[in-house]
Amino acid sequence: MSNPPNPPTPEYESSLVVAERIESADGVAVLTLRHPGGEPLPEWQPGAHIDLLLDNGLVRHYSLCGDPGDRSAWRIGVLRVPESRGGSAYVHGKLHAGAEVRVRGPRNTFALRPAPRYLFVAGGIGITPVLPMIAAAEAAGADWRLLYGGRTRSSMVFLDELAAYGDAVAVRPQDEHGLLDLDGYLGEPDADTLVYCCGPEPLLAAVEERCRAWPSGALRVERFQAREREGTAAEAGAFEVVLSRSGRALQVEPGKSVLETAREAGVSVLFSCAEGICGTCETEVLEGEPDHRDSVLSPEERESGETMMICVSRSRGPRLVLDL
């Protein structure tokens, strides 16, 4: 008799009510979510995000941008994206005050590590995970600065809250200042400084390029879309995955992910985006060398090979043993 599949560790999931909705900037809706029965929400730390399970079948994750100490509410900011695949259009069109939405999480793949000094870089809606980070840095007595860019001043959210920090925040709308001066901001590597960046892909790529000279691990970024991946020889071939909890061995065929293969075999696995950007399906690697294809893990985490995102990552060898 085969062993029954192991259920994934449960996450908090509940229907929450949109208690407040504010059009805080051009194209940005800021939603405050509360439990309809007034129950406290799970704790979270700066950098965390939650999943919205939308009625149109889509799952989208949004960074929490409120106060981690306030367990009565979660706050998110959602940008209306003209080329939306349905997520932002649904939020902007359907989630008005009083509406209910199914929520799962929180989850944190962009955690703020302790440091004496921080440089934060945010582009557009990328300010959402950074906002609670700078509050935490301020409370910890750390030295920090924020460089915040956007298309126009009217498109940049939370300017009123950021104004309280004075000269520590540099607001640089592109129509007033041009592109962000990353060379001046990041030009001098510092072993005691961590750099956190969130925003559109061109900004992330530019910051990554400037931080190549910085100490290993100094830069952490969060992406809203999967990094463009190039095919590899490892991706073309089949490989075996052994599920350590049951001892089952599964063959992952070309063109199929570990996640798809496991689910087809009846293994219950938590997942969300299936694009390698949310971190939900992160799984411990017990043996073998993963071929990382995600947009979550840092270079150091990839090098360690301790975990992998099974929705997109594959194997560099013929066999992987996973904690599933």
Side-chain angles (χ1 to χ4, degrees):
M1 180 184 297
S2 62
N3 294 324
N6 291 287
T9 302
E11 285 189 311
Y12 176 83
E13 184 176 321
S14 180
S15 290
L16 303 184
V17 174
V18 179
E20 183 180 51
R21 170 171 165 159
I22 300 173
E23 307 301 320
S24 185
D26 292 347
V28 179
V30 177
L31 309 183
T32 298
L33 307 174
R34 299 184 187 273
H35 191 278
E39 296 179 9
L41 301 176
E43 295 179 351
W44 61 279
Q45 298 298 322
H49 64 265
I50 56 173
D51 294 335
L52 298 191
L53 286 63
L54 306 177
D55 288 344
N56 58 5
L58 295 177
V59 179
R60 293 292 183 264
H61 65 274
Y62 298 101
S63 297
L64 291 169
C65 56
D67 177 6
D70 180 7
R71 296 187 58 189
S72 70
W74 283 342
R75 186 175 70 163
I76 59 173
V78 182
L79 174 68
R80 180 189 291 277
V81 181
E83 63 276 15
S84 167
R85 293 174 297 168
S88 75
Y90 183 96
V91 171
H92 278 260
K94 302 290 187 179
L95 296 187
H96 299 283
E100 287 198 4
V101 61
R102 197 75 181 167
V103 177
R104 183 172 60 206
R107 194 178 309 113
N108 200 339
T109 58
F110 193 45
L112 184 69
R113 292 179 290 156
R117 188 167 184 265
Y118 299 96
L119 292 178
F120 298 106
V121 184
I125 197 64
I127 189 63
T128 50
V130 173
L131 193 64
M133 286 184 173
I134 64 175
E138 179 79 4
D143 181 22
W144 64 270
R145 287 189 291 147
L146 167 65
L147 182 62
Y148 180 22
R151 291 177 289 102
T152 62
R153 191 173 295 270
S154 63
S155 71
M156 300 170 70
V157 70
F158 301 129
L159 292 182
D160 54 343
E161 296 181 31
L162 292 169
Y165 295 110
D167 293 340
V169 175
V171 176
R172 297 291 184 265
Q174 187 173 350
D175 63 339
E176 298 177 21
H177 298 273
L179 296 177
L180 295 178
D181 180 16
L182 297 177
D183 290 326
Y185 191 68
L186 300 171
E188 195 64 38
D190 183 354
D192 292 328
T193 300
L194 296 181
V195 181
Y196 281 80
C197 178
C198 186
E201 185 59 34
L203 174 63
L204 300 183
V207 169
E208 287 175 329
E209 178 63 31
R210 269 95 175 159
C211 285
R212 291 191 192 279
W214 282 66
S216 176
L219 171 66
R220 291 304 301 261
V221 303
E222 182 168 65
R223 286 177 157 83
F224 294 132
Q225 294 182 325
R227 192 199 321 248
E228 187 172 335
R229 298 187 295 269
E230 298 178 0
T232 67
E235 190 171 11
F239 58 96
E240 182 183 65
V241 167
V242 177
L243 312 182
S244 68
R245 299 182 195 175
S246 65
R248 298 177 66 187
L250 306 176
Q251 186 79 356
V252 181
E253 300 294 344
K256 283 222 170 171
S257 69
V258 177
L259 175 64
E260 291 173 311
T261 302
R263 284 173 55 80
E264 288 176 0
V267 181
S268 184
V269 182
L270 282 175
F271 73 100
S272 180
C273 72
E275 296 179 349
I277 58 175
C278 74
T280 308
C281 69
E282 185 172 9
T283 301
E284 185 179 357
V285 179
L286 303 178
E287 293 181 31
E289 183 182 1
D291 176 23
H292 296 291
R293 316 298 291 163
D294 66 276
S295 300
V296 175
L297 296 177
S298 69
E300 296 74 29
E301 290 168 332
R302 291 181 174 215
E303 182 67 25
S304 75
E306 294 178 355
T307 66
M308 64 183 287
M309 306 302 160
I310 62 173
C311 65
V312 292
S313 297
R314 298 181 66 78
S315 176
R316 293 192 176 277
R319 182 173 180 267
L320 284 175
V321 180
L322 302 180
D323 184 22
L324 285 174

